[in-house]
Each structure stands twice: as structure tokens, then as C-alpha cells.
Amino acid sequence: MVASERISFDTKGFCDQVDITQMVQEKIDGCDIKNGIVLVFVPGSTGAITTMEFEGGLKADIQKLMDKLAPEKEEYSHNLTWGDGNGFSHVRSSLVGTSFAVPVIGGKMALGTWQQIVFLDFDNRRRSRSLIVQLVGE
């Protein structure tokens, strides 16, 4: 069986971090799949999905790391091509990735105790985001 759903929310951009764990679990709770895999996918190239302990210190560490790896003020060819100033957003998204999969066992995600699924919005403006949540299993 395959079930496809969407979750939607607003973000602030500039490495805004949103814990989407409960939103994903609610999609699992609303379907008949008890064992399988859930995939979360970002249809876009300025956001990313990862897993982390969603706490203030690590959130700040992620922001600092992204500022070092792909600084906003760097010169990006993308900006020269499109003039939208979000080249850093695309680079950050490419580094982290736009999908995350986790096993579902007994109707629950097999996440660690301190592990959450987190959406990272790297764009240079506020956005309304819609993610695809796809469940495959029985």
C-alpha cells in the first residue's frame, strides 16, 4: 500500500528550522500503514530535511555551520544568472538534501529518543511550504 499526503506551514527563511516530527506522525496515524517506510520530500531547491536533536544549542550550531559553509554574502553564479540573491540557499539545500526516510514499526517512526525530523528553510525570504509525505508499507 502507498499513501501520499502533504503537510504545509509558513517559514521565515534564513535558516529557519521547523520541527515537523509530529506533523509527519499525524499523517502516519491517519492511514492504515503500520509497518513500512515514510519519506518526507521537499519539492523545491531552497529547503532541506534532516534529523537532529531539536534544541536551542544545536539549532544555533546549525545556523553557524551554514553561515561558514555557504555564506549569504558570498558571490554565487546563481545570483549573477537570476539576480534573486539566494544562491547561498540553493547551495545549502544541496548540501543537506531534500528528502528523509525513516522506518515505521507498529505505526510509529523508529526515531531515537532525542531525534526529530526538521525542515530547514534556507531561502532569503518568508515562504509557505508544502512537503510531500509518502508512506509505503502494509
Side-chain angles (χ1 to χ4, degrees):
M1 171 187 256
V2 177
S4 297
E5 301 283 341
R6 286 192 180 262
I7 55 177
S8 299
F9 50 91
D10 293 328
T11 60
K12 301 172 190 163
F14 297 100
C15 207
D16 189 17
Q17 301 170 42
V18 181
D19 180 354
I20 62 168
T21 310
Q22 187 57 41
M23 289 183 255
V24 174
Q25 184 60 53
E26 288 170 3
K27 297 303 179 187
I28 297 168
D29 293 343
C31 78
D32 292 332
I33 295 174
K34 299 304 174 211
N35 295 292
I37 294 175
V38 62
L39 172 78
V40 183
F41 177 74
V42 180
S45 59
T46 60
I49 297 285
T50 192
T51 181
M52 63 187 250
E53 183 177 348
F54 193 73
E55 58 84 21
L58 189 53
K59 288 173 62 180
D61 292 339
I62 295 291
Q63 174 73 56
K64 280 196 278 189
L65 176 66
M66 289 299 143
D67 289 343
K68 287 179 184 175
L69 291 175
E72 179 184 348
K73 302 299 183 198
E74 189 71 35
E75 184 176 305
Y76 295 94
S77 296
H78 173 82
N79 295 347
L80 299 174
T81 301
W82 295 103
D84 55 7
N86 70 351
F88 72 102
S89 308
H90 293 278
V91 170
R92 291 175 181 188
S93 174
S94 295
L95 287 171
V96 177
T98 58
S99 65
F100 177 78
V102 64
V104 175
I105 302 169
K108 302 292 179 198
M109 291 181 285
L111 294 170
T113 302
W114 305 110
Q115 188 176 29
Q116 287 83 43
I117 303 171
V118 178
F119 174 77
L120 305 170
D121 182 6
F122 295 127
D123 214 342
N124 60 353
R125 63 185 174 90
R126 294 179 172 274
R127 299 280 308 254
S128 291
R129 296 290 189 163
S130 181
L131 309 180
I132 298 169
V133 177
Q134 191 165 68
L135 294 115
V136 178
E138 53 189 15

